[in-house]
């Protein structure tokens, strides 16, 4: 809290501008120079904040990150701007004009809501985190739309709001490791669900690994990826689609809706192999993707789809398969040598072999590139070699 107070002073803001682009290797020299004219505590706080801003640029973009304030946990746990913006737009499209953002953290989601024109009550019980969220609302000129309150979210009356958004803490213990049991969230998922049911609309941000059976029957479940990386799952209430399941891919957005299809048929490997987006896999919508590809599975337990024709799709990456081999490192090494493959991408699903371990054994050399899939085909360990289609 003291560091933030120092940084919010005119001297602190000027110092933040001065150290903005300081490289880690230069910090000691810069700190030594600045301490001649500024208090040591302020210099340390400014350099620490500059490091956090540099890390945060990947999530928030350099323009916003360069003005915002962060804590180490805040950078790690905050929502990527692209995802928060998408979620805020969904709430706006549902008619939401004001939202209670519970467990608001440093304010990343509150900022997205406010920029969508939604008035926000942002609540966090940690005083430092709440102060940072308040500073961020001011830094981005959104303090008229964002009210930050330091309080226990379980004691906040949300009755006057169109929607509730809850982002429970999913890290804990001394190590700060991820929590996988939804009832070990803070607050527990069961409390968040009851808070959601009491509101006209609600969105609960949860880990993408949440078991499907933990999603209430009266809620919609959505898995979101950004640039191919699965970022989160959202449990929605009040969307008019209870029981619906969807996978949303950003940028876009492109959304694949569940249709309750049976598992795809298993068939021999065709000319093309499709690797479904992680959000599609997490949402259990591989069957929906396979139907659009006129494809089937290579194995009943593996989420690779194969087809004879190339069908462009946003929901899976396509590869043209040139070779299918039983798992055998020597045979793969010989094939790669024959093809003069020096750039080798190794992907695996259903294999215990580590990609880097295999790469060391085959020692790829040459001007060409290839992708090898370590997987199972009809239950047998198999190597599929190909290239992006």
């Amino acid at each position: 809290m003291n560091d933030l107070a120092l940084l919010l002073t005119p001297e602190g803001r000027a110092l933040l501008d001065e150290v903005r682009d300081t490289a880690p290797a230069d910090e000691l020299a810069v700190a030594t120079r600045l301490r001649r004219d500024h208090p040591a505590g302020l210099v340390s706080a400014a350099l620490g904040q500059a490091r956090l801003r540099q890390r945060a640029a990947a999530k928030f973009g350099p323009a916003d990150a360069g003005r915002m304030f962060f804590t180490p946990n805040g950078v790690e746990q905050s929502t990527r701007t692209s995802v928060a913006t998408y979620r805020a737009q969904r709430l706006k499209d549902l008619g939401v004009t004001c939202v209670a953002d519970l467990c608001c953290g440093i304010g990343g989601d509150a900022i997205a809501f406010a920029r969508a024109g939604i008035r926000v009550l942002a609540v966090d019980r940690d005083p430092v985190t709440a102060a940072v969220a308040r500073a961020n609302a001011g830094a981005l000129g959104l303090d008229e739309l964002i009210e930050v309150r330091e309080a226990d979210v379980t004691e906040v009356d949300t009755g006057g709001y169109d929607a509730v958004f809850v982002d429970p803490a999913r890290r804990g213990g001394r190590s700060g490791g991820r929590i996988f049991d939804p009832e070990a969230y803070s607050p527990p998922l069961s409390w968040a669900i009851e808070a959601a049911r009491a509101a006209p609309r609600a969105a609960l941000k949860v880990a993408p690994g949440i078991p499907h059976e933990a999603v209430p029957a009266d809620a919609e479940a959505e898995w979101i990826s950004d640039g191919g990386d699965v970022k989160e799952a959202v449990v929605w209430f009040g969307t008019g689609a209870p029981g619906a399941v969807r996978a949303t891919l950003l940028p876009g957005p492109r959304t694949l809706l569940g249709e309750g299809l049976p598992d795809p048929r298993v068939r021999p490997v065709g000319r093309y192999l499709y690797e479904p987006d992680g959000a599609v896999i997490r949402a259990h919508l591989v069957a929906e993707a396979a139907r659009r590809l006129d494809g089937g599975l290579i194995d009943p337990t593996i989420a690779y789809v194969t087809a004879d024709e190339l069908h462009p799709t946003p929901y899976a990456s396509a590869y043209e398969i040139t070779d299918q081999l039983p798992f055998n490192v020597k045979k793969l090494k010989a094939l790669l040598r024959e093809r003069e493959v020096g750039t080798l991408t190794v992907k695996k699903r259903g294999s215990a072999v580590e990609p880097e371990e295999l790469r060391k054994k085959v020692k790829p050399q040459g001007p060409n590139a290839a992708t090898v899939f370590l997987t199972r085909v009809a239950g047998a360990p198999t190597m599929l070699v190909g290239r992006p289609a």
Side-chain angles (χ1 to χ4, degrees):
M1 185 75 80
N2 187 54
D3 283 356
L4 179 63
L6 290 173
L7 294 174
L8 291 173
T9 64
E11 183 182 9
R13 292 180 185 276
L15 200 57
L16 277 172
D17 289 338
E18 187 172 348
V19 302
R20 176 190 303 269
D21 299 319
T22 302
D26 299 330
E27 281 189 5
L28 181 58
V30 170
T32 301
R33 174 176 59 80
L34 292 176
R35 283 171 182 159
R36 298 171 189 155
D37 302 309
H38 303 279
L42 176 58
V43 172
S44 296
L47 285 170
Q49 192 61 221
R51 284 196 302 273
L52 293 175
R53 285 178 167 183
Q54 289 167 9
R55 285 174 52 197
K59 281 189 174 181
F60 291 89
D64 281 355
R67 292 184 290 165
M68 292 172 65
F69 297 87
F70 299 96
T71 64
N73 284 342
V75 174
E76 180 70 25
Q77 298 178 27
S78 57
T79 305
R80 182 179 292 265
T81 292
S82 56
V83 178
T85 299
Y86 163 74
R87 206 185 318 98
Q89 187 60 48
R90 270 208 80 184
L91 282 178
K92 184 177 182 180
D93 292 344
L94 289 167
V96 171
T97 62
C98 54
V99 61
D101 178 0
L102 308 181
C103 309
C104 69
I106 61 170
D109 288 289
I111 290 165
F113 294 139
R115 283 179 168 165
I118 300 172
R119 183 168 54 86
V120 188
L121 169 65
V123 184
D124 203 284
R125 69 180 179 182
D126 180 71
V128 174
T129 303
V132 171
R134 190 174 294 111
N136 286 334
L140 299 180
L142 298 169
D143 39 358
E144 290 189 3
L145 281 170
I146 301 175
E147 174 195 348
V148 179
R149 187 181 302 175
E150 179 193 330
D152 185 330
V153 298
T154 64
E155 299 174 358
V156 174
D157 180 7
T158 61
Y161 293 85
D162 298 337
V164 167
F165 173 71
V166 189
D167 181 8
R170 293 181 298 282
R171 291 180 182 272
R174 294 181 179 179
S175 64
R178 294 185 185 277
I179 294 173
F180 297 100
D181 177 5
E183 283 308 294
Y185 292 174
S186 180
L189 180 60
S190 56
W191 178 89
I193 289 171
E194 291 310 308
R197 285 174 172 154
R201 307 275 190 275
L204 313 180
K205 176 181 172 181
V206 295
I210 184 173
H212 280 233
E213 56 269 22
V215 178
D218 57 337
E220 173 191 325
E222 179 176 33
W223 280 260
I224 303 174
S225 67
D226 186 19
D229 295 327
V230 183
K231 295 302 180 184
E232 65 179 55
V234 187
V235 178
W236 294 91
F237 290 83
T239 65
V245 176
R246 63 170 65 199
T248 296
L249 282 55
L250 302 176
R254 296 180 176 90
T255 296
L256 182 64
L257 294 173
E259 302 172 50
L261 299 179
D263 291 340
R265 63 192 174 93
V266 177
R267 52 151 291 174
V269 176
R271 182 176 178 182
Y272 296 97
L273 186 76
Y274 294 87
E275 181 180 27
D277 184 273
V280 173
I281 295 173
R282 292 282 194 177
H284 297 179
L285 298 182
V286 173
E288 282 75 0
R291 190 176 74 170
R292 285 160 173 77
L293 299 168
D294 192 23
L297 299 179
I298 64 172
D299 184 277
T301 64
I302 303 295
Y304 283 138
V305 176
T306 188
D308 298 318
E309 303 291 337
L310 179 62
H311 299 280
T313 175
Y315 303 115
S317 300
Y319 295 83
E320 184 176 12
I321 299 303
T322 57
D323 300 273
Q324 177 177 342
L325 308 169
F327 182 83
N328 186 298
V329 175
K330 289 184 178 179
K331 287 184 178 180
L332 178 63
K333 185 175 181 178
L335 177 66
L336 297 177
R337 186 185 304 117
E338 177 187 331
R339 303 280 172 81
E340 296 185 302
V341 172
T343 302
L344 182 65
T345 300
V346 182
K347 293 177 172 285
K348 72 167 192 170
R349 187 161 290 158
S351 171
V353 178
E354 291 302 323
E356 194 54 42
E357 176 187 337
L358 179 70
R359 195 177 286 106
K360 289 179 180 178
K361 289 181 178 179
V362 299
K363 300 176 182 177
Q365 293 182 352
N368 299 321
T371 300
V372 60
F373 294 86
L374 307 178
T375 187
R376 292 194 303 272
V377 173
T382 303
M383 300 181 296
L384 301 176
V385 182
R387 53 180 172 262

